[in-house]
Coordinates of all heavy atoms in Angstrom, one line a residue:
T162 N -40.2 56.7 -25.2 CA -41.7 57.0 -25.0 C -42.1 56.4 -23.6 O -42.0 55.2 -23.3 CB -42.5 56.3 -26.1 OG1 -42.0 56.7 -27.4 CG2 -44.0 56.5 -26.0
D163 N -42.6 57.3 -22.8 CA -42.8 56.9 -21.4 C -43.6 58.1 -20.8 O -43.9 59.1 -21.4 CB -41.4 56.7 -20.6 CG -41.7 55.8 -19.4 OD1 -42.8 55.1 -19.3 OD2 -40.8 55.8 -18.5
E164 N -44.0 57.9 -19.5 CA -44.6 58.9 -18.7 C -43.5 59.7 -18.1 O -42.7 59.1 -17.4 CB -45.4 58.2 -17.6 CG -46.2 59.2 -16.7 CD -47.0 58.5 -15.7 OE1 -46.4 58.1 -14.6 OE2 -48.2 58.3 -15.8
L165 N -43.4 61.0 -18.4 CA -42.3 61.8 -18.1 C -42.5 62.7 -16.9 O -43.2 63.7 -17.0 CB -41.8 62.6 -19.4 CG -41.5 61.8 -20.6 CD1 -41.4 62.7 -21.8 CD2 -40.3 60.9 -20.4
Y166 N -41.9 62.4 -15.8 CA -42.2 63.1 -14.6 C -41.7 64.4 -14.6 O -40.5 64.8 -15.0 CB -41.5 62.3 -13.4 CG -42.4 61.2 -12.8 CD1 -43.6 60.8 -13.5 CD2 -41.9 60.5 -11.7 CE1 -44.3 59.7 -12.9 CE2 -42.7 59.5 -11.2 CZ -43.8 59.1 -11.7 OH -44.6 58.1 -11.2
N167 N -42.4 65.4 -13.9 CA -42.0 66.7 -13.5 C -41.8 66.6 -11.9 O -42.5 65.8 -11.3 CB -43.0 67.8 -13.8 CG -43.3 68.0 -15.2 OD1 -42.5 68.1 -16.0 ND2 -44.6 67.9 -15.5
Y168 N -40.8 67.2 -11.5 CA -40.4 67.1 -10.0 C -40.7 68.4 -9.4 O -40.7 69.5 -9.9 CB -38.9 66.7 -9.9 CG -38.7 65.3 -10.5 CD1 -38.2 65.3 -11.8 CD2 -39.0 64.2 -9.8 CE1 -38.1 64.0 -12.4 CE2 -38.9 62.9 -10.4 CZ -38.4 62.9 -11.7 OH -38.2 61.6 -12.3
R169 N -40.9 68.4 -8.0 CA -41.2 69.6 -7.2 C -40.1 70.5 -7.3 O -40.2 71.7 -7.4 CB -41.5 69.1 -5.8 CG -42.7 68.4 -5.6 CD -43.0 68.1 -4.1 NE -44.3 67.5 -3.9 CZ -44.8 67.2 -2.7 NH1 -44.1 67.6 -1.6 NH2 -46.0 66.6 -2.6
D170 N -38.8 70.0 -7.3 CA -37.7 70.9 -7.3 C -36.6 70.1 -8.2 O -36.5 68.9 -8.1 CB -37.0 71.2 -5.9 CG -38.0 71.9 -5.0 OD1 -38.3 73.1 -5.2 OD2 -38.6 71.3 -4.1
S171 N -35.7 70.9 -8.8 CA -34.7 70.3 -9.6 C -33.6 69.7 -8.7 O -33.2 70.5 -7.8 CB -34.0 71.3 -10.6 OG -32.9 70.7 -11.2
P172 N -33.2 68.5 -8.8 CA -32.1 68.0 -8.0 C -30.7 68.5 -8.2 O -29.8 68.2 -7.4 CB -32.3 66.5 -8.1 CG -32.8 66.4 -9.6 CD -33.6 67.5 -9.9
R173 N -30.6 69.2 -9.4 CA -29.3 69.6 -9.8 C -28.6 70.5 -8.7 O -29.3 71.3 -8.2 CB -29.3 70.3 -11.2 CG -27.9 70.5 -11.7 CD -27.9 71.1 -13.1 NE -28.5 70.4 -14.1 CZ -27.9 69.5 -14.9 NH1 -26.6 69.2 -14.6 NH2 -28.5 68.8 -15.8
G174 N -27.4 70.2 -8.5 CA -26.7 71.0 -7.4 C -26.7 70.1 -6.1 O -25.7 70.4 -5.3
Q175 N -27.6 69.2 -6.0 CA -27.6 68.3 -4.8 C -27.2 66.9 -5.2 O -26.8 66.1 -4.3 CB -29.0 68.2 -4.2 CG -29.6 69.6 -3.9 CD -28.8 70.4 -3.0 OE1 -28.3 69.9 -1.9 NE2 -28.7 71.7 -3.3
V176 N -27.2 66.6 -6.5 CA -26.9 65.2 -7.0 C -26.0 65.4 -8.2 O -25.8 66.4 -8.7 CB -28.2 64.5 -7.3 CG1 -29.0 64.3 -6.2 CG2 -29.0 65.1 -8.5
Q177 N -25.5 64.3 -8.7 CA -24.9 64.2 -10.1 C -25.9 63.8 -11.1 O -26.3 62.6 -11.1 CB -23.7 63.2 -10.0 CG -23.0 63.2 -11.3 CD -21.9 62.0 -11.3 OE1 -21.4 61.7 -10.3 NE2 -21.6 61.4 -12.5
V178 N -26.3 64.7 -11.9 CA -27.3 64.4 -12.9 C -26.6 63.6 -14.0 O -25.5 63.9 -14.4 CB -27.9 65.8 -13.5 CG1 -28.8 65.4 -14.7 CG2 -28.6 66.4 -12.4
I179 N -27.3 62.5 -14.4 CA -26.7 61.6 -15.5 C -27.5 61.6 -16.7 O -27.0 61.0 -17.7 CB -26.4 60.2 -14.9 CG1 -27.7 59.6 -14.4 CG2 -25.4 60.1 -13.8 CD1 -27.5 58.1 -14.0
A180 N -28.7 62.1 -16.7 CA -29.5 62.2 -17.9 C -30.6 63.3 -17.8 O -31.1 63.4 -16.6 CB -30.1 60.8 -18.3
T181 N -30.9 63.9 -18.9 CA -32.1 64.8 -18.9 C -32.9 64.5 -20.1 O -32.6 63.7 -21.0 CB -31.5 66.3 -19.1 OG1 -30.8 66.3 -20.4 CG2 -30.6 66.7 -18.0
V182 N -34.1 65.1 -20.1 CA -35.1 65.0 -21.2 C -35.4 66.3 -21.8 O -35.2 67.3 -21.0 CB -36.4 64.3 -20.8 CG1 -36.3 62.8 -20.5 CG2 -37.1 65.0 -19.7
D183 N -35.6 66.4 -23.1 CA -35.8 67.6 -23.8 C -37.3 68.0 -23.8 O -38.1 67.3 -24.5 CB -35.2 67.4 -25.2 CG -35.1 68.8 -26.0 OD1 -35.8 69.7 -25.6 OD2 -34.3 68.9 -26.8
E184 N -37.6 68.9 -23.1 CA -39.1 69.3 -23.0 C -39.6 69.9 -24.3 O -40.8 69.9 -24.5 CB -39.3 70.3 -21.9 CG -39.2 69.7 -20.5 CD -39.7 70.7 -19.4 OE1 -40.1 71.8 -19.8 OE2 -39.6 70.3 -18.2
R185 N -38.7 70.3 -25.3 CA -39.2 70.8 -26.5 C -39.9 69.7 -27.4 O -40.6 70.0 -28.3 CB -38.1 71.4 -27.3 CG -37.4 72.6 -26.6 CD -36.2 73.1 -27.3 NE -35.1 72.0 -27.3 CZ -33.8 72.1 -27.8 NH1 -33.6 73.3 -28.4 NH2 -33.0 71.2 -27.6
D186 N -39.7 68.5 -27.0 CA -40.2 67.3 -27.8 C -41.7 66.9 -27.4 O -42.3 66.2 -28.1 CB -39.3 66.0 -27.6 CG -37.9 66.2 -28.1 OD1 -37.8 67.0 -29.0 OD2 -37.0 65.5 -27.6
Y187 N -42.1 67.4 -26.3 CA -43.5 67.0 -25.8 C -44.2 68.0 -25.1 O -43.6 69.1 -24.8 CB -43.3 65.8 -25.0 CG -42.6 65.9 -23.6 CD1 -43.3 66.1 -22.4 CD2 -41.2 66.1 -23.6 CE1 -42.7 66.3 -21.3 CE2 -40.5 66.2 -22.4 CZ -41.3 66.5 -21.2 OH -40.7 66.6 -20.0
E188 N -45.4 67.8 -24.8 CA -46.3 68.8 -24.1 C -46.4 68.4 -22.6 O -46.5 67.2 -22.3 CB -47.7 68.8 -24.7 CG -47.7 69.4 -26.2 CD -49.1 69.3 -26.7 OE1 -50.0 68.9 -26.0 OE2 -49.2 69.8 -27.9
G189 N -46.3 69.5 -21.8 CA -46.6 69.3 -20.4 C -45.4 69.3 -19.5 O -45.6 69.0 -18.2
G190 N -44.1 69.5 -20.0 CA -43.0 69.6 -19.1 C -43.1 71.0 -18.4 O -43.5 72.0 -18.9
T191 N -42.6 71.0 -17.1 CA -42.7 72.2 -16.3 C -41.3 72.6 -15.8 O -41.3 73.5 -14.9 CB -43.6 71.9 -15.1 OG1 -43.1 70.9 -14.2 CG2 -45.0 71.5 -15.6
M192 N -40.3 71.9 -16.2 CA -39.0 72.3 -15.6 C -38.1 73.1 -16.5 O -36.9 73.3 -16.2 CB -38.3 70.9 -15.1 CG -39.1 70.1 -14.1 SD -38.4 68.6 -13.6 CE -37.0 69.2 -12.6
G193 N -38.5 73.4 -17.7 CA -37.8 74.3 -18.6 C -36.7 73.6 -19.3 O -36.7 72.3 -19.6
G194 N -35.6 74.3 -19.6 CA -34.5 73.8 -20.4 C -33.6 72.8 -19.8 O -32.7 72.3 -20.5
D195 N -33.7 72.7 -18.4 CA -32.9 71.7 -17.8 C -33.8 70.8 -16.9 O -34.3 71.1 -15.9 CB -31.9 72.4 -16.9 CG -31.1 71.5 -16.0 OD1 -30.8 70.4 -16.6 OD2 -30.5 71.8 -15.0
H196 N -34.1 69.6 -17.5 CA -35.0 68.7 -16.9 C -34.3 67.3 -16.5 O -34.3 66.4 -17.4 CB -36.2 68.5 -17.8 CG -37.3 67.6 -17.3 ND1 -38.7 67.9 -17.6 CD2 -37.4 66.6 -16.4 CE1 -39.4 67.1 -16.9 NE2 -38.6 66.2 -16.2
P197 N -33.7 67.2 -15.4 CA -33.1 66.0 -15.0 C -34.0 64.8 -15.0 O -35.2 65.0 -14.5 CB -32.5 66.3 -13.6 CG -32.3 67.7 -13.5 CD -33.5 68.3 -14.4
I198 N -33.7 63.7 -15.4 CA -34.6 62.5 -15.4 C -33.9 61.3 -14.7 O -34.5 60.3 -14.4 CB -35.0 62.0 -16.7 CG1 -36.3 61.2 -16.7 CG2 -33.9 61.5 -17.6 CD1 -37.5 61.9 -16.1
A199 N -32.6 61.4 -14.5 CA -31.7 60.3 -13.8 C -30.6 60.9 -13.2 O -30.0 61.8 -13.8 CB -31.4 59.2 -14.8
W200 N -30.2 60.4 -11.9 CA -29.1 60.9 -11.1 C -28.7 60.0 -10.1 O -29.2 59.0 -9.8 CB -29.6 62.3 -10.6 CG -30.8 62.3 -9.6 CD1 -30.9 61.8 -8.4 CD2 -32.1 62.7 -10.0 NE1 -32.2 61.9 -8.0 CE2 -33.0 62.4 -9.0 CE3 -32.7 63.2 -11.3 CZ2 -34.3 62.8 -9.0 CZ3 -34.1 63.5 -11.3 CH2 -34.8 63.3 -10.2

Side-chain angles (χ1 to χ4, degrees):
T162 299
D163 201 15
E164 185 180 75
L165 303 171
Y166 275 6
N167 300 309
Y168 300 95
R169 292 184 177 183
D170 300 289
S171 173
R173 191 179 293 277
Q175 309 301 317
V176 301
Q177 179 184 334
V178 175
I179 58 175
T181 59
V182 290
D183 192 338
E184 289 191 359
R185 295 172 298 180
D186 295 335
Y187 66 99
E188 297 180 357
T191 65
M192 300 181 70
D195 180 25
H196 187 142
I198 200 66
W200 55 79

